[in-house]
Amino acid sequence: MTAVEIRQQFLQFFESKGHKIVPSAPMVVQNDPTLMFTNAGMNQFKDYFLGNKEAQVKRIADTQKCLRVSGKHNDLEEVGLDTYHHTMFEMLGNWSFGDYFKKDAINWAWELLTEVYKLPKDRLYATVFGGDESESLEKDNEAFDLWSAHLPADRVLDGSKKDNFWEMGDTGPCGPCSELHIDLRDEAEIAKVPGREMVNMGHPQVVEIWNLVFIQFNRVSDGSLKSLPAKHVDTGMGFERLVMALQGKKSNYDTDVFQPMIAVLSEKAGVAYGDDEKTDIAMRVISDHIRAISFAIADGQLPSNVKAGYVIRRILRRAVRYGYTFLKFNEPFLHTLVPVLSDQFAGVFPELVGQKDFIAKVIFEEETSFLRTLDKGLKRIEVIKQSLKGKEISGAVAFELYDTYGFPLDLTALIARENGLTVDEAGFQTEMQQQKDRSKKSSKVSTGDWVEVKQEEELGFIGYDNLEAVAQVVKYREIEDKGSKLFQLVLDNTPFYAESGGQVGDKGMLMSGDQKIKVLDTKKENDLIIHFVSELPKDPTLPLQAKVDIYKRQLTENNHSATHLLHAALRQVLGTHVQQKGSLVSPDVLRFDFSHFAKMTDEEIREVEAITNKKIRENIALNERRNVPIAEAKQLGAMALFGEKYGEFVRVITFDPHYSVELCGGTHVRATGQIGFLKIVSESSVAAGVRRIEAVTADKAESLVIEQDMLMNEMKELLKNPKDMAKAVAQLLEEKQTLTKELEGYRLKASQGVKQDLLKEVKAIDAISLLVAEVALPDADSLKKLAYELRNELSSLAMVLAANIDGKPQVAVMFDDSLVEKFGLNAGLLVRDLAREIQGGGGGQPFFATAGGKDINGLPKVVEKANDLLAKALNLSSLA
């Protein structure tokens, strides 16, 4: 049975049990501050479990793209070393939202595994929650009895709270769970040690394949548990492990999920899979990581140096490093694997096929960049080796290689071993922990429990049609963010738009009697609209007048609608490959990131600007359609954003059906004329294959044009009002260039005269050319150039120049390489010592170093001190 067939059978089975099959949510999480990535199948259904939203469909099943590389679910360092951990994996799941519970969940799981998939019953084990005295929780006897109807009692095992009590986080829905494990070992091994003794012991062939979670409690902030009003089922089955079991393999990587990719890697590297453990691990790492990287980029997360982007960059670099070190891939190779992956998942996750060229180009740029960094890092290690006094690379240095060059500890340790060195791994871990502690401290947010004020099943956003409304507080909680105390309110209906889709959240006012409460921001957490305020209403049970800041909202709408017009213009000018990759829409500015692999020319920018402004002047009326079936919206040609999770019904924003049709939840102008006009401020690169335009509209655009006009008038006055401004500036630059060349000639002549004078002052002692002198030079470049010229003309030179550079003191120290080696001289150390005489500091390399200071009167002391120090360093009685 192929992986494709196995996945399809799972979905068909639960469809036959009355479940609706839904598409996977994006792997990159939106509107959830607690998660960067989807790490479990239940993430997209959190609102149902939390009670924020009522499920319209009570039974659901799907296959969900998941990524586990951070937080408590961090499998990254195990990936490739064993045969069953992954970064990106598929989670097959079925859910019940207040519908069926333990009996159906357990019986259906058994039916699917043994009757449909026909897994051997005598190889299966179930675990149930064994209870916990500290929580006053009894053993899950109901689950035990249900499993005992299918399995002998000695194969239904009690599990600990750690293994068999599932929790969403420190607070929130939770409950006991039952895990299904399968023993895939050979009969001989089973005869030696029964499978029941190997469950949850980390054996690669005795693995958990399915977890059935029975959500029935809510964990509150004081640690106590409260029963939920409705009970839910949340299951997750590791697709890759299931395929391993059904295909009779000993490793996930031996299945047809990974073998096509491993075969390509094997051919590229000229190495057979199975011949050598090191190259096998490398191929497993790469075949896993290319999935995580590609799906993340497809869902809108580009590699970067911050947060989720850094995680993806780290995964990519780990893959490149394994290819570089063990498979001898010295050139970019990962990007060539994207077509293999997109073909494999074409019928399951079409977003890869739709963006495979873009994904490949982004990966190529990242690979190229990291290979350069890798080369720099290897050179840095060479420098470190030269400076080591012993045989150990310190933890601080190993952490610098990790933090600056992206060298994981194991790569540094590998290179160290090749050179007969060791690494202080404990010291590295200390440095790493200190960084984590700093990061946690800077981002720590303490959140209290929700205080319920009133029961409300439907919470509504009415801000498309109203900017003011009477509302009531449904619940509130207190938060502490970096020492500041704030409150979060949820209203039964609200005109405030919550930050989403790039549009910033509304600000405004809540009024209760004579109390006026500023709404500082509005954000979305899952599907809850949360209002941030600095104080609570005196009586939260009373109605409030909720009023949006109209002026800021209008400016934001100008920029959001202008973004749609700009997007369409970019596709018209640059091509239909242009796709949105991020945006910011605020009252002050719009920022639009889009896929394109070349810097826009001035002509292209002007054309995009002209098209956009033409559409603004046409005063096109907004055509807004709500609750449009997603299939119908796509037939209308509406552009959807990869990485966004769309429901069955969507909102379609149209400005001319032949020009701009997009799926969008943001707020917009009633007609494009309200925007006034648009002015592009900048165009730049933000990542491989992604460009960014920043622009302003309305009042801000007008102010910008006025400022530019004023600046132009000032320049005209300074240039005596020339008829041809460009010609006048060009002439001025030409004159400056001529004068600069003349000045350089005078400086060169002056420094040459100084050089000739200095050559007369050189002392030859024991075959060493000694020169210590005070000089006057026009600039620092002249000092450096003079030092190198003297070094080239004099053999075995030891020189200190105390220079007056236009009234500022500088010191230059130059040593011949032979003197550095023979006497152990170090110009960097010497110049720092001499710089004290001019109240300054500096440094450099062993053969050349410079320093600057504040006290010009200290230069004679520099000369005197240099004579003494050089005499001692060169074992001479005196240089005077």
Side-chain angles (χ1 to χ4, degrees):
M1 193 183 302
T2 67
V4 172
E5 292 168 337
I6 292 167
R7 185 192 294 110
Q8 194 58 37
Q9 279 199 335
F10 175 89
L11 297 174
Q12 287 173 348
F13 176 83
F14 279 103
E15 192 171 33
S16 74
K17 303 297 184 184
H19 291 66
K20 180 179 181 180
I21 309 304
V22 299
S24 171
M27 200 166 66
V28 181
V29 175
Q30 305 286 342
N31 301 322
D32 186 346
T34 66
L35 285 174
M36 284 195 293
F37 301 104
T38 297
N39 61 14
M42 57 75 59
N43 290 161
Q44 67 168 309
F45 307 117
K46 279 173 68 173
D47 275 329
Y48 302 150
F49 300 133
L50 289 165
N52 297 339
K53 194 175 181 182
E54 185 175 353
Q56 300 302 306
V57 179
K58 300 297 184 182
R59 299 181 181 188
I60 281 175
D62 73 353
T63 178
Q64 171 64 52
K65 299 174 293 185
C66 297
L67 188 66
R68 288 188 176 176
V69 285
S70 58
K72 68 177 182 178
H73 295 301
N74 188 351
D75 298 337
L76 181 59
E77 297 308 323
E78 283 77 40
V79 172
L81 303 184
D82 63 28
T83 59
Y84 57 93
H85 276 104
H86 302 290
T87 51
M88 182 268 169
F89 62 97
E90 283 185 70
M91 186 79 87
L92 302 171
N94 60 287
W95 287 269
S96 164
F97 307 116
D99 188 10
Y100 62 84
F101 202 48
K102 294 180 185 178
K103 181 180 178 181
D104 286 333
I106 288 172
N107 289 341
W108 287 340
W110 184 256
E111 180 185 349
L112 176 63
L113 292 182
T114 61
E115 295 181 25
V116 177
Y117 288 138
K118 302 191 182 305
L119 285 172
K121 296 177 183 180
D122 60 349
R123 294 296 188 96
L124 291 170
Y125 294 84
T127 63
V128 299
F129 177 54
D132 187 274
E133 288 186 12
S134 66
E135 298 258 25
S136 299
L137 290 170
E138 296 181 354
K139 175 179 174 177
D140 190 351
N141 289 307
E142 182 184 358
F144 180 87
D145 292 341
L146 288 165
W147 282 121
S148 296
H150 303 295
L151 288 163
D154 65 346
R155 285 199 278 127
V156 183
L157 312 175
D158 287 352
S160 65
K161 180 184 172 187
K162 175 179 176 292
D163 290 326
N164 284 86
F165 194 88
W166 181 89
E167 306 207 36
M168 184 182 290
D170 294 333
T171 60
C174 54
C177 62
S178 276
E179 296 176 343
L180 278 160
H181 298 253
I182 189 164
D183 188 347
L184 301 173
R185 295 175 300 156
D186 296 332
E187 292 291 348
E189 289 185 74
I190 293 173
K192 292 178 184 176
V193 183
R196 67 189 315 276
E197 295 179 22
M198 302 304 295
V199 169
N200 279 329
M201 299 303 291
H203 194 287
Q205 271 87 56
V206 185
V207 293
E208 173 199 340
I209 56 171
W210 207 347
N211 190 9
L212 315 180
V213 180
F214 310 119
I215 298 176
Q216 58 191 92
F217 301 111
N218 184 42
R219 175 84 66 186
V220 295
S221 60
D222 66 5
S224 62
L225 293 171
K226 295 183 178 180
S227 293
L228 289 170
K231 296 176 180 180
H232 313 288
V233 171
D234 159 24
T235 85
M237 177 155 55
F239 173 66
E240 292 78 9
R241 294 184 185 185
L242 176 65
V243 175
M244 173 178 69
L246 290 172
Q247 293 184 353
K249 305 296 184 182
K250 299 295 186 184
S251 160
N252 292 359
Y253 293 96
D254 291 339
T255 68
D256 64 347
V257 176
F258 291 97
Q259 275 300 304
M261 188 66 69
I262 288 174
V264 171
L265 285 168
S266 177
E267 184 179 352
K268 282 181 179 292
V271 176
Y273 184 69
D275 282 358
D276 182 89
E277 181 63 10
K278 289 182 179 179
T279 55
D280 286 356
I281 289 173
M283 283 188 263
R284 289 199 291 267
V285 166
I286 294 165
S287 63
D288 171 274
H289 288 9
I290 187 62
R291 292 163 28 118
I293 299 158
S294 298
F295 277 109
I297 294 171
D299 282 348
Q301 183 55 65
L302 298 168
S304 71
N305 284 330
V306 293
K307 296 184 179 178
Y310 178 71
V311 173
I312 302 307
R313 177 166 282 169
R314 184 182 171 205
I315 296 171
L316 189 150
R317 289 182 168 188
R318 189 172 188 261
V320 172
R321 187 259 301 181
Y322 267 95
Y324 181 91
T325 305
F326 299 106
L327 301 179
K328 309 305 177 189
F329 290 148
N330 298 323
E331 299 291 332
F333 69 95
L334 272 179
H335 67 285
T336 65
L337 306 178
V338 175
V340 180
L341 195 68
S342 65
D343 289 346
Q344 186 177 354
F345 285 100
V348 191
F349 304 119
E351 56 270 30
L352 282 185
V353 177
Q355 300 184 85
K356 66 180 180 182
D357 291 340
F358 172 73
I359 294 166
K361 287 177 181 177
V362 170
I363 293 174
F364 173 77
E365 295 291 340
E366 283 287 321
E367 284 186 276
T368 304
S369 173
F370 180 55
L371 285 169
R372 285 196 297 265
T373 301
L374 197 60
D375 186 55
K376 289 178 185 176
L378 292 171
K379 288 177 181 174
R380 173 72 180 127
I381 288 179
E382 285 300 313
V383 173
I384 291 166
K385 281 164 50 184
Q386 299 299 325
S387 63
L388 282 179
K389 293 181 180 177
K391 292 287 186 180
E392 183 179 68
I393 296 174
S394 72
V397 170
F399 183 75
E400 176 211 336
L401 287 166
Y402 166 79
D403 202 36
T404 305
Y405 298 99
F407 273 43
L409 178 62
D410 55 353
L411 177 58
T412 302
L414 174 68
I415 297 169
R417 283 196 299 273
E418 290 173 351
N419 289 275
L421 304 171
T422 60
V423 178
D424 176 12
E425 296 193 13
F428 174 89
Q429 297 301 340
T430 299
E431 295 283 340
M432 178 70 86
Q433 190 58 49
Q434 287 175 353
Q435 187 194 57
K436 288 180 179 177
D437 291 343
R438 287 192 297 270
S439 177
K440 285 180 181 177
K441 189 175 180 181
S442 65
S443 60
K444 187 175 181 182
V445 177
S446 175
T447 305
D449 291 323
W450 286 111
V451 177
E452 302 283 346
V453 177
K454 61 174 286 194
Q455 289 292 325
E456 191 71 32
E457 291 186 0
E458 289 294 327
L459 305 175
F461 170 65
I462 58 172
Y464 293 137
D465 306 307
N466 301 282
L467 296 180
E468 194 172 339
V470 175
Q472 285 196 288
V473 177
V474 173
K475 55 185 176 180
Y476 65 86
R477 67 184 176 189
E478 182 180 321
I479 66 167
E480 189 171 328
D481 186 358
K482 299 176 184 176
S484 298
K485 185 167 75 172
L486 295 172
F487 296 93
Q488 296 178 338
L489 305 180
V490 175
L491 305 179
D492 59 352
N493 68 91
T494 179
F496 286 83
Y497 181 84
E499 179 181 321
S500 183
Q503 181 174 330
V504 299
D506 280 332
K507 297 180 180 181
M509 197 75 69
L510 300 177
M511 291 165 284
S512 177
D514 60 355
Q515 187 183 13
K516 293 184 178 180
I517 302 169
K518 281 187 178 180
V519 177
L520 307 172
D521 201 356
T522 313
K523 292 184 181 292
K524 189 176 283 188
E525 185 171 316
N526 300 308
D527 270 346
L528 275 185
I529 295 176
I530 296 175
H531 307 75
F532 287 72
V533 296
S534 57
E535 61 177 315
L536 285 173
K538 292 173 185 175
D539 185 349
T541 65
L542 294 178
L544 298 165
Q545 188 76 14
K547 190 173 183 179
V548 173
D549 184 324
I550 296 173
Y551 180 63
K552 281 188 167 61
R553 166 71 86 85
Q554 287 176 341
L555 292 177
T556 304
E557 289 176 343
N558 290 342
N559 284 332
H560 201 155
S561 298
T563 300
H564 283 221
L565 302 181
L566 177 70
H567 187 187
L570 285 165
R571 288 171 64 85
Q572 200 173 106
V573 173
L574 301 179
T576 54
H577 65 279
V578 168
Q579 292 177 344
Q580 181 176 333
K581 292 298 172 186
S583 72
L584 170 69
V585 179
S586 73
D588 298 323
V589 68
L590 71 86
R591 190 179 71 207
F592 187 72
D593 298 345
F594 58 98
S595 53
H596 188 56
F597 281 85
K599 177 180 172 59
M600 288 179 68
T601 65
D602 291 342
E603 291 77 12
E604 287 170 338
I605 291 172
R606 282 196 294 271
E607 188 177 355
V608 166
E609 207 172 55
I611 292 170
T612 306
N613 281 314
K614 181 176 182 293
K615 292 298 177 183
I616 290 172
R617 289 192 300 274
E618 287 176 8
N619 199 27
I620 304 166
L622 167 69
N623 182 345
E624 176 207 20
R625 293 181 61 191
R626 303 176 195 174
N627 299 316
V628 180
I630 184 72
E632 182 183 335
K634 289 179 178 178
Q635 284 180 350
L636 292 170
M639 280 192 291
L641 298 183
F642 288 108
E644 285 286 341
K645 174 66 177 175
Y646 296 106
E648 286 186 67
F649 297 92
V650 294
R651 182 167 174 260
V652 181
I653 296 297
T654 303
F655 290 108
D656 182 346
H658 303 293
Y659 183 71
S660 172
V661 184
E662 295 195 32
L663 304 183
C664 181
T667 64
H668 289 274
V669 298
R670 295 301 167 195
T672 60
Q674 181 184 316
I675 300 168
F677 75 105
L678 172 138
K679 182 65 182 170
I680 293 175
V681 176
S682 66
E683 189 273 352
S684 61
S685 170
V686 289
V690 180
R691 308 296 299 179
R692 170 173 292 172
I693 277 181
E694 291 197 14
V696 290
T697 63
D699 297 359
K700 292 287 181 181
E702 185 179 341
S703 296
L704 179 64
V705 171
I706 290 171
E707 287 173 16
Q708 290 176 340
D709 192 46
M710 289 172 63
L711 179 62
M712 181 63 71
N713 288 334
E714 286 178 27
M715 290 174 63
K716 283 181 179 179
E717 286 185 23
L718 289 170
L719 294 170
K720 309 301 182 186
N721 294 306
K723 291 181 179 178
D724 189 332
M725 187 70 174
K727 185 177 179 181
V729 172
Q731 187 177 345
L732 195 64
L733 290 173
E734 188 178 337
E735 289 174 5
K736 179 180 178 293
Q737 190 175 15
T738 301
L739 291 171
T740 300
K741 285 182 180 178
E742 289 180 9
L743 182 59
E744 286 174 355
Y746 288 127
R747 286 176 174 172
L748 179 62
K749 189 174 181 180
S751 62
Q752 287 300 313
V754 171
K755 185 176 82 170
Q756 294 305 316
D757 291 340
L758 289 173
L759 287 170
K760 297 172 185 176
E761 296 184 36
V762 176
K763 298 176 183 179
I765 305 175
D766 295 338
I768 298 173
S769 300
L770 298 164
L771 178 59
V772 180
E774 186 175 345
V775 296
L777 290 166
D779 52 50
D781 286 340
S782 297
L783 176 62
K784 182 178 179 181
K785 187 175 181 181
L786 176 63
Y788 273 94
E789 285 182 0
L790 289 167
R791 184 175 189 261
N792 292 334
E793 292 189 27
L794 298 168
S795 61
S796 300
L797 176 66
M799 178 180 71
V800 175
L801 296 179
N804 182 331
I805 306 291
D806 196 23
K808 295 179 181 178
Q810 286 203 19
V811 179
V813 178
M814 177 71 82
F815 293 134
D816 189 82
D817 290 338
S818 61
L819 300 182
V820 171
E821 187 175 345
K822 182 177 180 180
F823 294 100
L825 301 179
N826 190 310
L829 296 177
L830 180 59
V831 84
R832 280 197 287 271
D833 198 354
L834 296 175
R836 294 192 186 100
E837 304 302 326
I838 55 172
Q839 298 180 25
Q845 298 167 288
F847 71 91
F848 179 64
T850 60
K854 301 174 183 176
D855 185 7
I856 193 72
N857 298 316
L859 289 178
K861 295 179 182 177
V862 170
V863 171
E864 183 181 348
K865 190 173 185 178
N867 278 314
D868 292 339
L869 293 175
L870 284 178
K872 292 176 184 176
L874 297 168
N875 300 319
L876 303 173
S877 58
S878 173
L879 297 185

